[in-house]
Amino acid sequence: MANHVTKAVIPAAGLGTRFLPATKAMPKEMLPVVDKPAIQYVVEEAVAAGLHDVLMVTGRNKNALENHFDRNAELEDTLEKKGDTDRLQKVNYSTSLADLHYVRQGDPKGLGHAVLRAKMHVGREPFAVLLGDDIIDSRDDLLQHMLDVQHRYNATVVALMDVPRESIHLYGAAAIEETGDDDVVRITGLVEKPDADKAPSNYAIIGRYVLRPEVFDVLERTEPGRGGEIQLTDALQSMAQAPDWTGGVYGVVFRGRRYDTGDRLDYIKAIVQLAVDREDLGPELRPWLKDFADGLHDEPREILDEMPTDAADAPEDVNR
Ligand code: G1P
């Protein structure tokens, strides 16, 4: 069955402060996960679920994103002359992957505000939102399943994951009711980043949504919430409370592999987890990793400084 949903929206306007200084001049979405920028995994996921029309909501300093998905004639030419067809294919792949559109967020007023910027492009159809920090393993099905559930329930659908209680404050948390469908729950309430003792459950929203267009009407009336930002979670909470005209909100419980590339430690883990299963890198990486792990001690024997200890001690001639 052809998808009733054709459009994906990818908010990509964040400043990437958790990765400074790497993200001082480069968007965080361009950080490589093995050998592809994180954002490419997300676009590939949308396309694999049949969503070829992709709108990125960007901001200042995000030109590298557009360039990545555009042609690079000089590079193509060089690779072609060298006869490096393998790399040429990789370079061309990201160009022809999807029908990409861009809109700028302007003021960074939160995720809800970023999604609202998609209103003109999306129109009055259901659409998907994929957050760039979360990578869902391409071997596990999530988005296609969410699209099916959206169609079946004619509702708004979010992806949920059962997370440890001590992590729930990092996410939108959902109060849920069983539906009788194995991995589908009805959402009765949502709270953005609650304290652990106030969270309605351990079910966290992970960065995948299939939204009914009524979300735009709700977002337009949503006041700034946590952190002074317009929160998508707050709009979804309103929709969950008004199922008569919004269709309500359902959750698909995901039990597959998800990598959080928005956090430095998880980003490192993601690279290792994805690389060990790669045909080209895994065979050498796996035994090396085992060896490395065997030699690890609980404490480092010598601390590696994050930054040079004293800039004042640096030699005068620092411009080299
Ligand atoms: C956003 C959402 C949050 C959700 C999370 C998933 O938060 O606001 O509800 O649980 O993405 O990654 P962020 O991580 O952008 O602060």
Side-chain angles (χ1 to χ4, degrees):
M1 184 185 70
N3 274 337
H4 53 293
V5 178
T6 57
K7 290 176 184 160
V9 173
I10 305 181
L15 294 177
T17 44
R18 284 189 279 185
F19 279 90
L20 283 170
T23 48
K24 185 178 171 190
M26 182 184 78
K28 65 169 175 172
E29 293 80 8
M30 288 302 293
L31 286 170
V33 177
V34 190
D35 50 8
K36 273 191 288 193
I39 191 82
Q40 188 173 327
Y41 288 85
V42 180
V43 175
E44 284 175 7
E45 183 191 333
V47 169
L51 312 180
H52 296 269
D53 180 328
V54 176
L55 175 74
M56 278 193 207
V57 185
T58 66
R60 292 168 64 80
N61 291 332
K62 300 284 180 170
N63 295 346
L65 280 179
E66 292 193 37
N67 290 341
H68 179 71
F69 293 103
D70 197 0
R71 294 195 61 175
N72 181 338
E74 201 185 327
L75 180 61
E76 287 171 34
D77 208 41
T78 310
L79 292 171
E80 207 165 304
K81 283 200 182 111
K82 276 200 200 160
D84 193 342
T85 45
D86 191 36
R87 291 204 175 85
L88 183 61
Q89 246 178 1
K90 285 182 180 161
V91 164
N92 286 338
Y93 179 69
S94 63
T95 312
S96 52
L97 192 54
D99 181 12
L100 280 152
H101 307 266
Y102 301 89
V103 63
R104 284 211 184 193
Q105 187 176 1
D107 294 331
K109 289 198 219 149
L111 180 59
H113 179 252
V115 170
L116 191 50
R117 297 289 293 130
K119 181 180 170 181
M120 287 297 281
H121 183 85
V122 167
R124 298 307 289 182
E125 315 166 4
F127 63 104
V129 171
L130 292 85
L131 303 190
D133 284 348
D134 289 304
I135 292 181
I136 302 296
D137 198 300
S138 59
R139 294 163 290 186
D140 298 327
D141 172 36
L142 174 60
L143 192 52
Q144 186 60 58
H145 184 41
M146 291 175 72
L147 294 171
D148 294 342
V149 171
Q150 197 284 326
H151 193 55
R152 190 147 28 102
Y153 287 80
N154 191 21
T156 281
V157 179
V158 304
L160 296 176
M161 223 167 164
D162 197 354
V163 303
R165 195 67 170 185
E166 62 270 20
S167 307
I168 196 74
H169 69 283
L170 301 169
Y171 299 94
I176 58 152
E177 262 174 25
E178 302 296 326
T179 58
D181 249 355
D182 207 17
D183 52 358
V184 183
V185 292
R186 197 171 79 80
I187 294 182
T188 56
L190 285 161
V191 196
E192 178 68 1
K193 305 203 173 98
D195 292 337
D197 56 342
K198 297 205 184 76
S201 77
N202 285 1
Y203 283 108
I205 306 178
I206 54 170
R208 299 293 179 271
Y209 309 78
V210 184
L211 303 171
R212 275 195 21 174
E214 286 81 359
V215 73
F216 295 128
D217 311 320
V218 178
L219 278 170
E220 274 167 348
R221 297 196 301 261
T222 301
E223 296 288 330
R226 206 182 160 87
E229 297 188 335
I230 297 173
Q231 297 291 351
L232 180 57
T233 303
D234 293 346
L236 294 174
Q237 155 70 2
S238 303
M239 291 174 85
Q241 302 309 309
D244 44 329
W245 68 276
T246 67
V249 183
Y250 287 79
V252 163
V253 180
F254 182 60
R255 297 189 177 86
R257 288 159 284 195
R258 161 187 174 255
Y259 313 102
D260 177 0
T261 59
D263 172 84
R264 286 177 308 165
L265 184 61
D266 288 329
Y267 169 74
I268 294 166
K269 291 182 192 168
I271 293 176
V272 175
Q273 283 169 296
L274 287 165
V276 289
D277 288 343
R278 284 263 299 249
E279 210 180 354
D280 52 347
L281 300 165
E284 277 188 63
L285 181 60
R286 278 191 303 269
W288 177 84
L289 205 56
K290 276 190 183 159
D291 241 29
F292 179 71
D294 284 345
L296 272 186
H297 299 265
D298 287 343
E299 299 291 332
R301 274 173 290 189
E302 198 186 345
I303 299 284
L304 179 64
D305 277 330
E306 192 194 329
M307 260 190 255
T309 31
D310 193 349
D313 286 341
E316 289 281 317
D317 135 45
V318 284
N319 289 333
R320 281 193 305 143

